Amino acid sequence: MSEQGGSDRGIRAQLNRIVLIPGITFLALFAVLSTASLTQAISLRIATGDGRTGVHLYHSVVELQRERRLATEHAADPSQESADALRRQTGVTDDALQELDSRASGLRGHGDAGTARIADRYLTRVDRRTDVRNAVMAGKTAPQAALDAYDSMIARGILLYDSIAHNLDDGPSASAGADAVGLIRAQESFTRGDALLSGALAAGSLSIDQQTEFASLVEGTRHRVQNLAHSLAGETAQTRKGLVDSAAWRRMNELADSVTGHEPDIDVDPVTGTGSSDRAVPEGLGAWRSTADDVNADLVDLADAQVRTVMSATDAASTWMFNLALGGGVLSLFAGTVAYGVASRSAARLTARLSRLRADTLSLAREELPRIVRRLSEADTVDLDTELRRLDHGTDEVGQVADAFNTAQRTAVRAAVKEAETRAGVNRVFLAIAHRNQSLVQRQLQLLDRVEREEDDPDLLEDLFHLDHLATRGRRNAENLIILGGGRPGRRWRNPIPLVDILRGAISETDEYTRVKLRGVPDLSLSGSVVADVIHLVAELVENATAFSPPHTVVHIHSEVVPKGVAVEIEDRGLGMGPSALEKANATLEQAPEFDVMALNQDSRLGLFVVARLAAKYDISVRLCPSPYGGTRAVVLVPLALISPSEVSALEHPNAVPAAHDRGRGDGGTVAASRTSRRGQRE
């Protein structure tokens, strides 16, 4: 038998020849040349991720430092301006911490146990920042306490970066990381001193302890910036030189020296001989804020440049190591290629056959099968024998795979055909029953209408009205079936109907219509062709509102003219819906799913599905939202296209459309609305 059939050489034997000979040779060479370098490259790649995490970590520390200063100022001298500034900064801080939060699991699960513990402590502490903020905002925290609370968070963040830098496997990267930690600590010393002095300026008093600590912090900043001059290189060295040569740095040192050397005035009581010192802040510090901001910005740029240098150095070392591993792999591949040549010729034919099978299979799966399924969904007739292309790839394993796919696609299409036929038949039966039910209810309504006109007994007439109301609700349920089946209800109006009558008609089709209050209805009419469906849509929403709210509460319906049409709001005072339930309901209202999809969802509400179908039919917007009273508010936007043409020009100028005042409770128009609905049917 020919090789095309493949029976004399099974695919398993051919794969053994293709894989075993070159594979064993390749693996032996690759294991010798690449294992060590690849392991180190992977370690450095992980360290590169730590370097990127370090950038986000430092950014979070910088924002916490800014928030620390504002919190200290507010604690020292609370004001609306300082509170607003602190609130704005908390938002910026939260944004900076958001990226770090996405890496929290990696930090807590870091390979180094010490780093993991420090990360957990830092993340736990910053997660409690809301309590610190609330205490500062409420005036329950003294300036020093606020300063200490933020110091604790920032110190742990710097300690975490220090631990990450010490774990770098590459020598130059570890050295650059140590310099970065020094710059971060220099910037932290300055920002803490700035926060300390800013709080004192806000309070108007500088104690000896604060003066001493401020002097120590500023001196620490100078010392670190000076000592790192010889270890920095490249862009970071230029940034440092620009900092120490800047006017802002010189001005900051002058102002800091004036604070450090400030001697308070001592007043001696001539009677007692006791002295008291004036602890007011030194004069001439009006430029401190702008100067400190400029210096801090330069220090942040300097530290950030070094942090990014660490990341770049680690990335470069990782890339070099990967290139080394790749070079070893290439050498191994070259040796393996020689061995692979033995198997290449026998594999070529098999590869070509597999490629053809793959191309044919993808062509069927991506083009022909979707086309057939689409035709079935459109109720077209499909002949399986003529329209399904059969794959023929011989009788060996490749051919058997093709035959298996032939069987699978035929079974799938046959199932789709059967499902389409079943759905079409069920839909026809569904609509036939619904139309018959609607016809019987309509005849019942006509009979009740005639009996009501001829009856004079008030008690009997009231019972007839109740029957009339039940029959009206039954008609709406029958229309639900027709709408779900894709048909169109039989009720029709030729002439425009006032909106107030439409809303009353909708109320009359609900069970607890006496609980519905109609108010504020504009004096306008809707086109007769849409009246029946709008009544049905509003009735379903009102039915939901009464069904999901306590029996003693009232459901309000309010409508008004808006630029895009008329808005009708239906508001209940029940328990309301949760955010997830509202989201699912609004998704259904925006795009009604297919009825079979909806039927599979046991939590779906039939009324919302019907509303979605009707809204999509006329481009009506329906959306649910929470009510201020605790319930749910349904907002229905009827577009201008559905308004009576004679009133569209008036709607385009809403101030010219007079709105009726409170129409009273919904039961006042029930009988009239029901009769109007039936008269529309007869028209």
Side-chain angles (χ1 to χ4, degrees):
M1 186 173 291
S2 66
E3 187 175 347
Q4 177 67 27
S7 59
D8 57 337
R9 294 185 183 90
I11 189 171
R12 179 178 300 175
Q14 295 188 44
L15 286 177
N16 285 336
R17 292 180 58 192
I18 294 172
V19 175
L20 289 179
I21 298 175
I24 293 174
T25 305
F26 169 77
L27 288 176
L29 292 174
F30 184 79
V32 172
L33 297 176
S34 302
T35 300
S37 57
L38 185 60
T39 301
Q40 188 175 1
I42 293 173
S43 176
L44 286 172
R45 182 62 65 184
I46 295 174
T48 301
D50 288 344
R52 294 190 178 91
T53 301
V55 173
H56 296 293
L57 173 61
Y58 177 60
H59 289 170
S60 70
V61 168
V62 170
E63 298 305 332
L64 283 171
Q65 290 169 341
R66 294 189 176 115
E67 184 176 329
R68 174 180 60 188
R69 177 181 63 79
L70 294 172
T72 305
E73 290 179 347
H74 181 73
D77 184 20
S79 66
Q80 185 62 41
E81 181 179 358
S82 64
D84 293 340
L86 180 56
R87 289 192 188 95
R88 288 192 296 271
Q89 180 58 39
T90 57
V92 177
T93 304
D94 290 341
D95 291 340
L97 286 168
Q98 184 175 3
E99 179 63 30
L100 194 63
D101 289 340
S102 65
R103 301 168 182 260
S105 59
L107 285 171
R108 286 191 168 104
H110 197 277
D112 180 67
T115 302
R117 285 195 300 271
I118 297 172
D120 182 68
R121 292 171 185 170
Y122 174 65
L123 295 172
T124 302
R125 183 56 62 95
V126 296
D127 286 343
R128 300 173 185 168
R129 63 188 181 277
T130 303
D131 297 335
V132 177
R133 294 169 177 172
N134 292 339
V136 172
M137 286 293 187
K140 299 178 181 179
T141 303
Q144 187 61 41
L147 191 64
D148 293 341
Y150 282 97
D151 285 349
S152 178
M153 288 185 275
I154 294 169
R156 281 176 169 79
I158 297 175
L159 185 61
L160 175 57
Y161 184 86
D162 190 7
S163 179
I164 291 174
H166 275 84
N167 284 311
L168 296 176
D169 291 337
D170 182 59
S173 300
S175 177
D179 293 338
V181 172
L183 290 174
I184 292 174
R185 293 191 184 279
Q187 189 258 341
E188 161 60 9
S189 295
F190 178 76
T191 56
R192 193 181 190 284
D194 179 28
L196 184 67
L197 182 58
S198 297
L201 291 173
S205 173
L206 180 67
S207 67
I208 294 177
D209 292 340
Q210 290 175 325
Q211 186 179 14
T212 303
E213 185 177 1
F214 175 78
S216 174
L217 291 170
V218 172
E219 182 59 29
T221 300
R222 295 169 179 167
H223 179 73
R224 286 191 173 94
V225 171
Q226 181 64 32
N227 288 347
L228 289 171
H230 302 292
S231 60
L232 300 179
E235 180 183 354
T236 310
Q238 294 297 325
T239 304
R240 179 206 164 275
K241 187 176 185 304
L243 167 66
V244 297
D245 293 342
S246 66
W249 178 261
R250 291 193 298 271
R251 180 59 177 161
M252 183 276 295
N253 285 315
E254 293 172 359
L255 294 174
D257 290 341
S258 69
V259 174
T260 303
H262 173 64
E263 293 291 341
D265 296 333
I266 300 177
D267 296 330
V268 179
D269 191 316
V271 177
T272 63
T274 58
S276 62
S277 60
D278 181 11
R279 298 314 306 170
V281 296
E283 297 181 356
L285 295 179
W288 172 258
R289 180 73 272 127
S290 60
T291 303
D293 287 342
D294 292 340
V295 171
N296 185 53
D298 291 340
L299 286 170
V300 170
D301 290 341
L302 176 59
D304 184 67
Q306 186 63 19
V307 168
R308 293 185 182 277
T309 298
V310 175
M311 183 180 69
S312 299
T314 307
D315 188 59
S318 172
T319 301
W320 182 86
M321 192 59 63
F322 265 110
N323 290 336
L324 181 62
L326 182 62
V330 169
L331 182 61
S332 301
L333 285 174
F334 176 77
T337 302
V338 176
Y340 182 77
V342 178
S344 60
R345 295 187 62 181
S346 61
R349 185 179 296 275
L350 176 61
T351 302
R353 293 182 60 208
L354 291 174
S355 297
R356 287 197 301 272
L357 175 60
R358 177 180 180 275
D360 292 344
T361 303
L362 289 178
S363 175
L364 286 175
R366 293 177 178 176
E367 298 175 8
E368 297 189 21
L369 287 181
R371 176 180 56 81
I372 293 174
V373 173
R374 185 169 56 253
R375 288 179 55 193
L376 289 173
S377 64
E378 296 172 356
D380 288 349
T381 302
V382 175
D383 186 355
L384 298 182
D385 295 329
T386 59
E387 299 196 31
L388 280 180
R389 180 164 62 91
R390 178 180 175 82
L391 300 178
D392 185 6
H393 286 262
T395 59
D396 64 349
E397 288 87 345
V398 176
Q400 292 170 10
V401 172
D403 290 339
F405 185 81
N406 289 332
T407 303
Q409 71 160 341
R410 190 174 186 84
T411 302
V413 175
R414 185 182 293 110
V417 171
K418 185 64 176 178
E419 181 183 358
E421 293 174 350
T422 302
R423 289 181 60 182
V426 171
N427 196 55
R428 287 192 296 269
V429 174
F430 195 70
L431 286 176
I433 295 174
H435 279 297
R436 291 181 182 181
N437 189 20
Q438 185 188 37
S439 176
L440 292 175
V441 173
Q442 190 61 34
R443 290 168 58 188
Q444 181 182 7
L445 285 171
Q446 292 173 354
L447 178 61
L448 286 172
D449 193 23
R450 178 175 61 80
V451 175
E452 288 172 2
R453 289 196 298 267
E454 296 174 356
E455 183 59 47
D456 295 328
D457 185 351
D459 294 334
L460 184 56
L461 188 60
E462 181 179 0
D463 292 337
L464 289 174
F465 285 163
H466 284 303
L467 287 174
D468 184 297
H469 178 63
L470 291 174
T472 302
R473 293 181 60 215
R475 177 180 60 190
R476 178 163 61 86
N477 290 333
E479 290 178 351
N480 280 347
L481 299 178
I482 295 175
I483 293 170
L484 294 177
R488 183 171 182 175
R491 287 193 289 173
R492 299 286 188 277
W493 275 265
R494 290 193 299 269
N495 300 320
I497 300 298
L499 179 61
V500 63
D501 291 338
I502 293 173
L503 296 180
R504 283 177 171 170
I507 295 171
S508 71
E509 294 189 4
T510 61
D511 185 15
E512 300 182 58
Y513 59 88
T514 57
R515 292 173 49 204
V516 184
K517 187 173 182 180
L518 183 64
R519 56 186 183 182
V521 183
D523 292 333
L524 52 85
S525 302
L526 300 186
S527 300
S529 60
V530 304
V531 169
D533 289 335
V534 173
I535 289 176
H536 197 120
L537 184 149
V538 175
E540 290 293 341
L541 294 174
V542 173
E543 187 79 43
N544 279 349
T546 57
F548 293 98
S549 59
H552 63 278
T553 60
V554 176
V555 174
H556 294 279
I557 300 180
H558 172 74
S559 56
E560 61 179 321
V561 176
V562 295
K564 292 186 178 181
V566 177
V568 179
E569 296 183 356
I570 302 160
E571 184 175 54
D572 64 65
R573 300 193 179 185
L575 296 177
M577 303 171 66
S580 60
L582 275 175
E583 183 179 356
K584 292 180 181 178
N586 284 321
T588 300
L589 292 172
E590 288 176 4
Q591 185 174 5
E594 293 296 329
F595 181 64
D596 56 346
V597 176
M598 183 267 178
L600 295 175
N601 187 356
Q602 298 178 358
D603 296 332
S604 296
R605 297 176 180 176
L606 184 61
L608 291 181
F609 184 70
V610 174
V611 169
R613 281 286 184 91
L614 295 175
K617 181 178 179 181
Y618 296 106
D619 198 22
I620 297 174
S621 174
V622 181
R623 187 161 186 85
L624 303 181
C625 58
S627 168
Y629 301 102
T632 301
R633 175 184 295 169
V635 181
V636 181
L637 178 59
V638 181
L640 291 172
L642 305 185
I643 310 300
S644 174
S646 61
E647 301 180 9
V648 171
S649 60
L651 272 179
E652 294 175 349
H653 304 282
N655 293 333
V657 180
H661 294 290
D662 194 345
R663 298 284 181 174
R665 296 190 67 85
D667 54 338
T670 300
V671 177
S674 299
R675 291 176 176 173
T676 301
S677 300
R678 293 196 300 276
R679 283 198 299 272
Q681 175 64 30
R682 290 196 298 272
E683 291 176 355

